[in-house]
Amino acid sequence: MEKAHCTVHRQALWILCFHVVCSLSFIAENISTTEITMDVNLIDENHHQHEAGSKWSPLFEDGPGPVNVTARIGSTVQLNCKIQLLYDKTVTWVHRKSDDIQLLTVGRQVHSSDQRISLSFRYPNNWRLQIVYITDRDDGVYECQVATHPPTTKKTYLRVDVPTVRMSVTGTGDVTRGGSDVFFKTGSTLEIVCKVVHAGSNNGSKVSWYRGPQTISTGITERTSNDSSYTTIVSILKIKHVQKTHSGNYTCLVGSPSASAAVTIHILNGDQPAAVHDGNSGPLVCCVAGWWLLTLCCLVLSS
């Protein structure tokens, strides 16, 4: 009897243990499912936080609207892009001009082959693009893009001020003019005037002078005048008692070859302009005529 009673107690204990184990397994499974659901929801919430237009998406400190920038030719320009709440997102710069699109930077890496372009990051959040020695081909739309979905973009419209450059030649003893060629006698006084006009106030434009590839730094005077809309710079190169060695191509330039003017000066030592142009043509004509005569004789003899 006692043995049967013990057997019943053991069976009841086994049943109780089984129910306890099942209950613990069910509780553990529910906890694990809850944790996974919370993790998924957290990941999904973080994902949406970084999407464009969400509460926690990156934003431009100076506002999303476009910016207009004007730069003089030959200068250095920095295009600002201040971003808040960037987190781990990547910033890129793109240049758009007509139908042409150029990738300039990705993160802090420069992808443009143009050595004038760099990323000049300024702590803590200014991903500014820097372009040195601005030329007329640099104008267009520059986009600072953040890699959200869809991309968050801020546009900067860059206009390059290309001045008008005109050149005139005066002096004493000039013989004649022909197109961009001017002829002077030795001992004369040569004066070349370079007039530069650009829009806006004086922005530090500098006029440079060259004879061929050589820089000229002496004999130059300059004056600047301003009105409400334009700035005019008049630069004058003056050479007294010119000699044959002063002959050459004279260029005045403002920042870039696209803003320049040139003239060719011939210094004559008793010669006439026609002799300067035609003095070397005689031997060439004789040589060509002799060649054709020799060819004709060979044809006659061979026939």
Side-chain angles (χ1 to χ4, degrees):
M1 186 71 179
E2 290 181 0
K3 186 175 181 180
H5 186 69
C6 289
T7 302
V8 170
H9 276 288
R10 281 199 196 101
Q11 291 177 352
L13 184 60
W14 277 110
I15 293 172
L16 179 62
C17 290
F18 176 78
H19 283 290
V20 170
V21 171
C22 289
S23 298
L24 291 176
S25 299
F26 178 77
I27 293 171
E29 183 179 353
N30 284 341
I31 292 175
S32 177
T33 304
T34 303
E35 288 179 349
I36 292 173
T37 303
M38 290 177 63
D39 290 341
V40 170
N41 290 337
L42 182 61
I43 292 171
D44 187 66
E45 182 181 356
N46 288 336
H47 172 73
H48 286 289
Q49 282 178 355
H50 293 278
E51 286 188 352
S54 66
K55 182 179 179 180
W56 302 104
S57 64
L59 55 89
F60 297 108
E61 186 174 296
D62 299 325
V67 176
N68 296 309
V69 176
T70 300
R72 73 177 187 274
I73 201 164
S75 66
T76 297
V77 67
Q78 292 179 334
L79 308 181
N80 293 317
C81 185
K82 300 178 182 179
I83 306 172
Q84 297 178 350
L85 304 177
L86 181 61
Y87 300 107
D88 59 344
K89 298 302 178 183
T90 303
V91 179
T92 61
W93 275 99
V94 174
H95 180 207
R96 296 179 183 270
K97 187 173 183 180
S98 299
D99 295 330
D100 185 30
I101 302 176
Q102 294 181 339
L103 178 63
L104 305 179
T105 65
V106 177
R108 300 200 183 192
Q109 301 297 317
V110 178
H111 282 251
S112 173
S113 60
D114 194 334
Q115 299 297 318
R116 301 175 303 116
I117 297 175
S118 63
L119 186 80
S120 179
F121 180 82
R122 186 172 184 179
Y123 183 84
N125 62 352
N126 192 356
W127 296 78
R128 62 184 181 183
L129 183 74
Q130 177 172 285
I131 309 173
V132 300
Y133 304 116
I134 286 287
T135 68
D136 54 340
R137 70 176 185 270
D138 293 321
D139 65 349
V141 182
Y142 290 80
E143 294 184 0
C144 178
Q145 300 180 351
V146 182
T148 56
H149 181 72
T152 304
T153 303
K154 184 179 181 68
K155 296 181 179 181
T156 299
Y157 294 88
L158 177 63
R159 186 181 72 84
V160 180
D161 175 23
V162 182
T164 302
V165 183
R166 296 287 184 269
M167 180 178 281
S168 60
V169 181
T170 61
T172 61
D174 56 315
V175 177
T176 186
R177 301 165 186 264
S180 60
D181 294 89
V182 182
F183 302 87
F184 280 80
K185 291 180 179 179
T186 55
S188 303
T189 297
L190 170 64
E191 192 171 277
I192 307 176
V193 180
C194 182
K195 185 178 181 180
V196 179
V197 180
H198 63 77
S201 60
N202 186 10
N203 54 16
S205 296
K206 181 182 178 182
V207 178
S208 301
W209 284 91
Y210 299 90
R211 184 170 71 88
Q214 298 177 341
T215 303
I216 302 173
S217 57
T218 59
I220 301 170
T221 58
E222 192 170 291
R223 66 177 184 269
T224 302
S225 59
N226 298 277
D227 57 28
S228 58
S229 303
Y230 296 95
T231 296
T232 302
I233 304 173
V234 178
S235 183
I236 302 174
L237 172 63
K238 190 173 184 179
I239 305 174
K240 297 181 179 180
H241 309 296
V242 294
Q243 303 298 320
K244 294 277 286 185
T245 54
H246 291 116
S247 297
N249 183 267
Y250 287 79
T251 304
C252 69
L253 180 147
V254 185
S256 170
S258 60
S260 64
V263 65
T264 302
I265 302 296
H266 303 276
I267 308 301
L268 309 178
N269 188 15
D271 299 326
Q272 294 299 317
V276 175
H277 282 295
D278 302 332
N280 295 327
S281 62
L284 178 61
V285 172
C286 291
C287 182
V288 173
W291 173 259
W292 280 108
L293 182 60
L294 179 61
T295 303
L296 181 61
C297 291
C298 291
L299 290 174
V300 171
L301 292 174
S302 62
S303 60

